[in-house]
Structures are given as structure tokens and as C-alpha cells.
Amino acid sequence: MQLLSGLVKTTVPNYLSGLPIPDTFGGWFRLGFKDWLSLVPPTAAVAGVVYMSYLAFCPEARPKPSQKANNKIRLEEAKVVDMIDIEDIAEKAAFCRCWKSNNWPYCDGSHGAHNKECGDNLGPVVVQRKKN
């Protein structure tokens, strides 16, 4: 705690008082290269704080996640539709619902990585023959 206290009470004020900030508007034009260079770090810090505050208090400024569920499978088609006859299924088949499978429309377990990354709970649709 003493480190933080010393930083706020002594180090930062001493650093800020040593910056070459002119008293007049015309003084900005008389600053040398080294003076401008010494103003870069505090300017970047202030810009970062302003930007982070802007993102925190203006939710519409945040980048929007992709609204598309399918970012991979037959993107050139207006609608992806597959017909699978029940007779073609041996015992059971797992069908992909996450659009991440490399063996689409069948599930290959790709939803596992998606679920870990996003905290989601996607899983396949399993179609099974009725046992007589």
C-alpha cells in the first residue's frame, strides 16, 4: 500500500510537473523534438483511459459479434437444406447443430471446442431407429 501511496503522492506529481507544457498557445509551436517526445507517454495514457471509458459507457460503440450462426458451410447458398432418409441410418446418427462440423451435416464433436471457448452448451441432434 505504501508503494501506491508514494506513487500517487510523490512520483506522479513530480513527473507531471516536469512535463514541458507551455503557458500560452504560441508556446506549443516553440517546443523542440525532445519536448514533444516527452509528451507522448502521458498523452497515450490519457487517450487510453478516455477510449476505455468510452467503450464502458457507450455500449453501442462496442464491436458487435457476428449474428450469423453458419460461418463455414456452403455460404454461397441462400438456405442450406439437407434431406436424409431414415432408412439410410443404421442404428443412430448424430447431426450437427453448431455449424462447426467438418463432416456436416453429421456431428464430428466440433461443438466441444466451441462450448469451452464460449461457455455454451451446444450438442448434436441424435436420431435413432425405434427398436422393435
Side-chain angles (χ1 to χ4, degrees):
M1 202 63 185
Q2 198 130 26
L3 179 68
L4 182 63
S5 172
L7 184 70
V8 171
K9 290 180 180 176
T10 310
T11 308
V12 171
N14 288 344
Y15 172 73
L16 293 176
S17 67
L19 290 176
I21 299 175
D23 295 331
T24 64
F25 182 74
W28 288 102
F29 298 106
R30 289 186 290 278
L31 290 177
F33 179 74
K34 286 187 179 182
D35 295 332
W36 281 107
L37 204 55
S38 67
L39 291 173
V40 169
T43 304
V46 169
V49 168
V50 168
Y51 180 68
M52 295 304 285
S53 300
Y54 173 68
L55 289 180
F57 296 112
C58 298
E60 65 276 354
R62 293 185 195 125
K64 301 202 180 358
S66 173
Q67 299 297 319
K68 291 178 76 173
N70 177 16
N71 293 316
K72 180 176 178 178
I73 310 298
R74 299 190 332 235
L75 298 174
E76 68 282 351
E77 296 178 25
K79 185 191 284 186
V80 179
V81 177
D82 285 300
M83 300 292 288
I84 299 169
D85 291 327
I86 296 290
E87 291 80 25
D88 294 341
I89 298 174
E91 280 288 317
K92 65 181 178 180
F95 293 97
C96 177
R97 290 194 299 176
C98 70
W99 295 93
K100 310 248 182 264
S101 175
N102 291 320
N103 191 24
W104 203 85
Y106 299 102
C107 178
D108 67 357
S110 296
H111 58 271
H114 166 80
N115 288 347
K116 265 187 183 173
E117 181 181 322
C118 300
D120 211 344
N121 64 349
L122 286 173
V125 173
V126 179
V127 178
Q128 186 172 343
R129 278 187 181 250
K130 207 177 211 184
K131 295 181 181 165
N132 293 335

